[in-house]
Amino acid sequence: MERTDTTGAGMPARLAGAALWLSSAAAWAGDAAFADCLSGLRGQAAASGVSAAAFDRFTAGLQPQMEVLQLLDAQPEFRTPIWDYLAVLVDAQRIADGQAKLREHADTLARVAAQYGVDAETVVAVWGVESDYGTTFGKRPLLQSLATLSCRGRRQAYFRGELFATLALLQSGDLQADGLLGSWAGAFGHTQFMPSTYRDIAVDFDGDGRRDLVGSVPDALASTANYLARNGWRPSEGWGYEVKLPAGFDAADAGRKNKRPVADWSSRGVTRADGTPLPASDAAAGLLLPAGVAGPAFLVFRNFDAIYSYNAAESYALAIALLSDRLRGAGPLLGAWPTDDPGLDRAARKHLQILLLARGHDIGEVDGAIGPLSRRAIVVEQQRLGLQPADGRAGHRILDALVREGPPVALPR
Ligand code: CA
């Protein structure tokens, strides 16, 4: 699935080139060009099965959204270390919430597993990483974002396809237009599908005749399983497991795509993470080294690729895979990430934000999402405390330093 947005997972999206862009946006905003562009799309939409009446009804009153154009061209401010991704996406809260969802939706998940061959923990882990179990759908009006990106910017043809797919879903009654929100790039609902993926993959699993991935958890869970099944999921195979490399291991053959028989990895001295031999298997596995040979290592099988296809990032796929293991009752990784400043989970990030607020920093809401305001405040505190590098990263070192410093701060309830 196309996935260029990470706000649903609380990751920073940072803007670049804003000044250059503003000059052209000012000339465009509020003028007739947007309306002209939209009306020009009516004919193209018809080719996607969207009637003129539906097109007019659902695009009436849409306004261009300047911010999404900034986000389209945004460059990440810095690379997020894998241990920071995982600290947030596989934290105690998400594990506990996922276990509650497994219980709450046990009957539906059993039927989903029977029909699509994808186990409950994997489906729930995708749900947890994509939308925090339906709590973060995105905050931008979906039609306005897609209409804007269809008329301006560097990927208009792609976004027009997504706009037309959305309109077709509204026309068919699968979706309701009221309050339809998504990421700036158009991912939305429990599963954060792009509209064209929704059109092609979504299923009606609660039997009400509508494929509703915003309002129906059964539809969303079954559609997630359908996605994985269509992308090569193999029932009763795992995604992979953590392994341990021998000293002096040559990592030249590492990589998700470079699949070799498990026996081949065994012959090179790779073992399970606890040091026991790899299980006998004729399956082919790639060696994933998210942080190089000094960090945790994983053998990943075909099902990891199915998870990867969900949003085309190995870090996210690993988060989903590891969350699914935790939901099955597994413990944390045995290998350590190569850092002396581990990442913070969402509870610890909130704690850090409270300590920043208490020192007078305007960081906005205490939400556990470390955005530009929080990072700027962290830089100031890192510099004040002489911590290097003063990079604005929310890690344990700055949190521990502020906690040690006191004074005690009352936590808002
Ligand atoms: Ca339904």
Side-chain angles (χ1 to χ4, degrees), residues 247-325:
F249 182 81
D250 176 4
D253 288 326
R256 177 178 60 87
K257 294 179 183 171
N258 188 15
K259 298 240 185 336
R260 295 166 169 276
V262 169
D264 186 76
W265 295 115
S266 272
S267 71
R268 297 169 187 231
V270 177
T271 64
R272 294 293 295 250
D274 62 5
T276 58
L278 297 180
S281 162
D282 55 4
L287 177 66
L288 196 68
L289 301 176
V293 289
F298 306 90
L299 282 188
V300 295
F301 297 85
R302 180 65 190 84
N303 282 350
F304 188 85
D305 295 332
I307 298 173
Y308 173 86
S309 72
Y310 208 96
N311 59 23
E314 286 179 355
S315 53
Y316 275 94
L318 187 61
I320 289 167
L322 294 178
L323 179 58
S324 76
D325 279 354

Side-chain angles (χ1 to χ4, degrees), residues 204-208 210-212 216 219:
D204 169 27
F205 204 68
D206 61 13
D208 70 350
R210 298 170 52 226
R211 304 182 301 159
D212 183 358
S216 168
D219 287 9

Side-chain angles (χ1 to χ4, degrees), residues 27 149-150 152 158 168 210 279 291 360 403:
L149 294 163
S150 293
R152 190 84 171 188
Y158 166 75
R210 298 170 52 226
V403 168

Side-chain angles (χ1 to χ4, degrees), residues 8 47 67 137 150 168-169 210 231 252 314-315 328 336 365 380:
E67 287 175 346
F137 282 178
S150 293
L169 290 166
R210 298 170 52 226
N231 281 277
E314 286 179 355
S315 53
R328 292 180 193 99
E365 196 184 342
V380 170

